[in-house]
Structure formats: C-alpha cells, structure tokens
C-alpha cells in the first residue's frame, strides 16, 4: 500500500484467500500494461529485473523472455546457480517437450510474457488446485511464436526441501489432475498432434511414477482408476487424429 500511494501504476487487489491461481487470473484480467510477469511471494528479484526482461522482449519482439535464476536454500543459506546459455529460437509444436522439460521450464516465474499472448488465446491458470504452473506453461509455449532466453541471474527462487507429507501428496495428485485437464484442453484447442501426444504420454508416465513412489495405498487406488480413464480418453482422441502410440 505504501508503494501504491507513491506510484499510481501500482494496483492492490484485495480478495478472499483463494490460492495463487485465482490471484494470478485476477491480475491478468485487471492488468493494464502490455506485459505480464509472475513473482512467487517467497522469492525475490534484482532491482533491474523487469527492466532487463522488458529491454530484451522489445529488442527481440519475443512472446516470452526467460531469465536465468538461482535456487536459494534457507537451511544452508546458500544460492545455487541455474544458468542457461543464451539462445533465440523460433519454435513450433514439435518443440513442446524440449521447451517444457528443458530450456523454458514448466514454471511461470523468471519470465516476462506479452499480455496479448495470454489474453488473446484465453489462457488462464486452472483454479482450485496446486501445481498450476505446468498446464499454463504448456499452453503458452504452444501459442508462442518466439521465446527468448537470457543468462542474467536476476531471479532468486526459494527452494523448499519437501518430505512425503500429506500436503506434498496432495500437491502431486493435483499435478496429475491438472495434467489430465490439460490434455482435454489441448484437444479442445485442436493441439493434438503426434508430437503433443508423445509429450502427454511421456509426462503421464513421469507423473504416475512420481506419485506411485509418494502416496498412500488409498491414493494409489484412486490414481489407478484415473490413469485408466485418462489412457482410454487419450486413445479416443488419438484415433480421431488417425494415430495412436502403442
């Protein structure tokens, strides 16, 4: 509130605590500028973070600019570098898996987006669950024509050491549910190609393996049912596109 009194460009949105997805979606809807950036509440940035990202997106006319970052471990009070090499890439759908799992990442922080990329394509965070970054990232990558990467380590991500707690179990189950919802979303947007289907299957296998190692027996039974339903759904939409991976 102190900063909003000094600068009328700063807006404060008061709302009921409904999770980060609702907050981000409200921010997107009420944003007046041409660009959008997300910063997690417990992370921090350099003073010139937005200036660097803005200059690069203007210079390259990219849809998304991603900066490098450092992990911060509170327990040891150390920062660990996560540098990437600078690369400019005009992409198409065949790059989705490489972008999602590699260069661009499945997170939304440490990036600057053209607001038009998000709003014109009706891309919003899935509400009501955690692990909301992943489906949002997959969608913006598929719509983006150009993504720029820079080496500047200007974002600091607070890395939490997770244990196999009830909260952690809920998070990874939410991640699986969001992934299933993403698959349906991609089908509705006519993004189901061979490469996208391969990405879905590979990601599905990874997420099921991660959940299987971390959840209770009751949750595993629920996961098995969801997995069967999802594979049947994926088989159906793949056949409609005249292909299916065995």
């Amino acid at each position: 509130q102190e900063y909003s009194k000094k600068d009328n460009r700063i807006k404060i949105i008061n709302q009921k605590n409904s999770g980060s997805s609702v907050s981000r979606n409200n921010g997107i809807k009420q944003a007046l500028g041409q660009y959008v950036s997300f910063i997690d509440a417990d992370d921090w940035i350099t003073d010139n973070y937005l200036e660097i990202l803005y200059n690069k997106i203007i210079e390259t006319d990219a849809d998304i600019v991603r900066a490098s970052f450092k992990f911060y471990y509170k327990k040891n009070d150390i920062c660990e570098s996560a540098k990437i090499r600078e690369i400019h890439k005009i992409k198409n759908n065949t790059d989705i898996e490489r972008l999602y799992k590699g260069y661009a990442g499945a997170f939304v922080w440490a990036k600057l987006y053209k607001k038009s990329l998000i709003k014109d394509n009706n891309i919003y965070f899935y509400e009501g669950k955690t692990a909301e970054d992943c489906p949002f990232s997959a969608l913006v990558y598929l719509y983006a024509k150009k993504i720029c990467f820079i080496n500047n380590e200007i974002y600091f991500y607070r890395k939490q050491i997770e244990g196999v707690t009830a909260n952690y179990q809920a998070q990874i189950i939410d991640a699986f549910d969001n992934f299933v919802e993403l698959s349906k979303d991609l089908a509705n947007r006519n993004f189901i190609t061979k490469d996208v289907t391969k990405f879905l299957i590979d990601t599905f296998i990874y997420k099921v393996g991660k959940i299987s190692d971390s959840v209770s027996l009751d949750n595993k039974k629920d996961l098995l049912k969801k997995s069967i339903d999802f594979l049947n759904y994926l088989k159906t939409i793949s056949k409609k596109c005249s292909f299916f991976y065995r």
Side-chain angles (χ1 to χ4, degrees), residues 1-2 9 28 56 75-76 93 109 168 201 204:
Q1 291 185 354
E2 178 185 348
R9 295 173 301 175
I28 292 170
K56 183 60 68 172
K75 182 178 180 180
N76 301 319
N93 286 355
W109 39 267
Y168 178 62
I201 293 174
F204 166 77

Side-chain angles (χ1 to χ4, degrees), residues 91-106 137-138 141-142 179 186 193-206 245:
K91 57 160 284 293
N92 53 47
N93 286 355
T94 61
D95 293 315
I96 178 61
E97 187 162 8
R98 184 166 63 88
L99 284 164
Y100 185 84
K101 295 181 178 179
Y103 288 120
S137 296
Y141 296 158
L142 284 167
F179 168 73
L186 290 173
T193 63
K194 276 192 173 184
D195 295 299
V196 171
T197 302
K198 181 179 182 301
F199 158 72
L200 292 174
I201 293 174
D202 290 347
T203 307
F204 166 77
I205 292 171
Y206 167 77
Y245 284 90

Side-chain angles (χ1 to χ4, degrees), residues 163-174 211 214-216 219:
V164 186
T165 62
N167 184 52
Y168 178 62
Q169 290 187 33
Q171 288 178 5
I172 57 178
I173 292 173
D174 277 356
I211 295 174
S214 308
V215 300
S216 65
N219 282 331

Side-chain angles (χ1 to χ4, degrees), residues 53-93:
L53 293 180
Y54 173 78
N55 288 339
K56 183 60 68 172
I57 207 169
I58 292 297
E59 173 192 335
T60 61
D61 193 30
D63 295 298
I64 304 170
V65 174
R66 181 203 140 169
S68 193
F69 58 91
K70 286 186 176 182
F71 290 119
Y72 172 70
Y73 297 89
K74 183 177 180 180
K75 182 178 180 180
N76 301 319
D77 193 29
I78 60 171
C79 287
E80 180 180 277
S81 178
K83 271 195 172 183
I84 55 171
R85 58 191 175 90
E86 185 166 7
I87 180 171
H88 297 76
K89 176 68 179 177
I90 303 295
K91 57 160 284 293
N92 53 47
N93 286 355

Side-chain angles (χ1 to χ4, degrees), residues 17 19 38 41-42 56 61 73 105-106 113 132 136 141-142 146 148 150 156 164 182 204 213 221:
N17 186 5
F38 305 101
D42 53 352
K56 183 60 68 172
D61 193 30
Y73 297 89
Y113 304 83
E132 68 279 1
F136 182 93
Y141 296 158
L142 284 167
K146 186 175 185 180
C148 176
I150 58 176
F156 297 83
V164 186
L182 169 65
F204 166 77
D213 292 338
K221 292 178 180 178

